[in-house]
């Protein structure tokens, strides 16, 4: 019998788990329930919630039609303006922003109020970054790579008379940003001796999931990665595992599994992307257990 190893970090991170549980708890309390955008990028979970009467608000027009009930925000947070917009509907607002993201909102709010320039290291179109930007009272610069960091550090801030003037800069990062790239960018931003308050706000969940997946795949005869077709973090997990184990499968549910065991497999590894619910992981585990 082969040993089945399921990664402890497979599936939902703390923040997503918390947000999804919040919605189920609100459903129990009753009344019209809305989520501001899909609570998670997993069609099965969203469909299940829909069956329970949870409606996804997809546009400003839909929001304008809401005058009561409960609106729940997503784990990656919203801007201050959106927050105000939701409150203006008169609905009860339940903030399911991940506490790690909320902390970044506070840092940006406080430091911009103190007159610091705000830099976010991350992807400028990601909803988490858009949300963070919205808590600053000064214009924000989003930096994705070392070239942009260099450009930024060479600029003069408005009102400066010479490039040697001191600048006060507060730097935060998108929670899922790559730690090595973050260090490289910080090295450039601190080069000129400006007053740089650097807050590493990267969340370890993604890194831990990837490190554990790699370790399991390196000893597995078969590795299974469960995740949504359009989930980029799942695709990344697959890529990491495939490098370690040629027999790596990328599936959405157990139904996609088409294994042909050679009979001498010792270890079967399982991991899952950030938006894969526990029950889907368990179903795959049970299915595999029956085969090996
Ligand atoms: Fe998840 Fe919160 Fe980290 S949503 S990835 S635990 S910042």
């Amino acid at each position: 019998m082969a040993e089945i190893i399921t990664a402890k970090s497979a599936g939902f991170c703390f923040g997503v788990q918390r947000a999804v549980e919040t919605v189920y708890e609100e459903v129990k309390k009753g009344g019209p329930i809305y989520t501001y955008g899909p609570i998670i990028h997993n069609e099965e979970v969203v469909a299940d919630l829909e069956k329970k009467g949870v409606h996804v608000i997809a546009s400003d027009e839909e929001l304008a039609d809401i005058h009561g009930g409960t609106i729940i925000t997503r784990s990656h947070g919203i801007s201050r303006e959106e927050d105000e917009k939701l409150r203006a509907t008169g609905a009860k607002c339940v903030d399911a922003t991940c506490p790690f993201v909320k902390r970044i909102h506070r840092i940006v709010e406080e430091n911009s109020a103190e007159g610091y320039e705000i830099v976010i290291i991350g992807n400028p179109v990601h909803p988490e970054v858009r949300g963070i930007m919205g808590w600053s009272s000064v214009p924000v610069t989003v930096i994705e790579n070392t070239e942009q960091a260099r450009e930024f550090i060479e600029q003069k801030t408005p009102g400066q008379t010479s490039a040697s003037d001191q600048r006060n800069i507060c730097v935060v990062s998108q929670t899922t940003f790559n730690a090595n790239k973050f260090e490289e960018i910080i090295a450039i931003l601190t080069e000129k001796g400006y007053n740089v308050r650097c807050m590493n706000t990267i969340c370890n969940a993604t890194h831990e999931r990837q490190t554990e997946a790699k370790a399991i795949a390196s000893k597995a005869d078969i590795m299974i990665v469960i995740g949504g077709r359009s989930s980029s973090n799942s695709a990344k997990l697959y890529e990491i595992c495939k490098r370690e184990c040629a027999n790596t499968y990328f599936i959405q549910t157990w139904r996609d599994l088409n294994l042909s065991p050679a009979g001498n497999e010792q270890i079967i590894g399982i991991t899952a992307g950030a938006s894969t619910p526990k029950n889907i992981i368990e179903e795959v585990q049970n299915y595999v257990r029956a085969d090996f």
Side-chain angles (χ1 to χ4, degrees), residues 25-254:
E25 271 159 32
E26 289 300 324
V27 166
K28 275 192 229 149
K29 294 180 196 161
I33 311 277
Y34 307 94
T35 59
Y36 189 54
I39 197 74
I40 176 176
H41 289 293
N42 180 284
E43 288 157 28
E44 300 204 18
V45 175
V46 173
D48 181 56
L49 286 168
E50 231 158 41
K51 264 192 257 148
K52 294 184 160 59
V54 178
H55 181 73
V56 177
I57 303 171
S59 65
D60 275 356
E61 290 72 42
E62 281 185 42
L63 185 64
D65 281 341
I66 295 170
H67 305 289
T70 302
I71 306 177
I72 306 162
T73 55
R74 299 191 277 186
S75 57
H76 53 229
I78 55 175
S79 67
R80 181 165 35 201
E81 200 186 322
E82 285 173 305
D83 189 65
E84 282 161 8
K85 219 161 50 183
L86 297 191
R87 287 178 201 287
T89 60
K92 177 178 117 183
C93 295
V94 177
D95 186 358
T97 305
C98 174
F100 301 143
V101 178
K102 203 72 218 158
R103 176 174 163 251
I104 310 177
H105 293 176
R106 294 286 90 87
I107 293 172
V108 165
E109 193 176 26
E110 285 164 19
N111 282 276
S112 62
E114 273 184 50
Y116 275 68
E117 294 177 57
I118 301 293
V119 171
I120 305 170
I121 301 182
N123 172 357
V125 296
H126 191 284
E128 179 192 319
V129 173
R130 311 289 316 167
I132 297 168
M133 289 171 81
W135 290 89
S136 172
S137 46
V138 298
V140 176
T141 308
V142 182
I143 291 177
E144 244 182 322
N145 51 43
T146 48
E147 292 78 58
Q148 289 170 356
R150 205 155 282 294
E151 239 168 66
F152 172 79
I153 211 69
E154 295 302 339
Q155 279 167 17
K156 289 185 214 161
T157 41
Q160 270 193 315
T161 46
S162 86
S164 62
D165 275 1
Q166 185 59 285
R167 287 169 71 177
N168 296 320
I169 304 166
C170 169
V171 188
V172 294
S173 54
Q174 184 180 340
T175 54
T176 48
F177 203 77
N178 177 286
N180 295 334
K181 280 201 214 157
F182 175 81
E183 293 302 334
E184 277 170 29
I185 292 173
I186 290 297
I188 294 172
L189 296 181
T190 48
E191 244 170 36
K192 295 239 175 203
Y194 292 142
N195 178 23
V196 182
R197 274 187 189 163
C198 168
M199 318 282 185
N200 182 340
T201 48
I202 295 173
C203 163
N204 278 332
T206 311
H207 180 68
E208 274 169 18
R209 193 182 299 108
Q210 292 176 354
T211 313
E212 196 187 6
K214 186 176 176 197
I216 296 175
S218 70
K219 55 186 178 192
D221 300 296
I222 294 177
M223 187 72 195
I224 299 166
V225 179
I226 316 163
R229 240 188 297 271
S230 55
S231 151
S232 58
N233 80 83
S234 305
K236 180 84 194 168
L237 268 185
Y238 172 73
E239 195 187 295
I240 290 168
C241 293
K242 183 80 182 169
R243 251 182 265 142
E244 302 294 324
C245 172
N247 259 339
T248 298
Y249 295 80
F250 189 14
I251 58 167
Q252 287 199 282
T253 70
W254 65 271

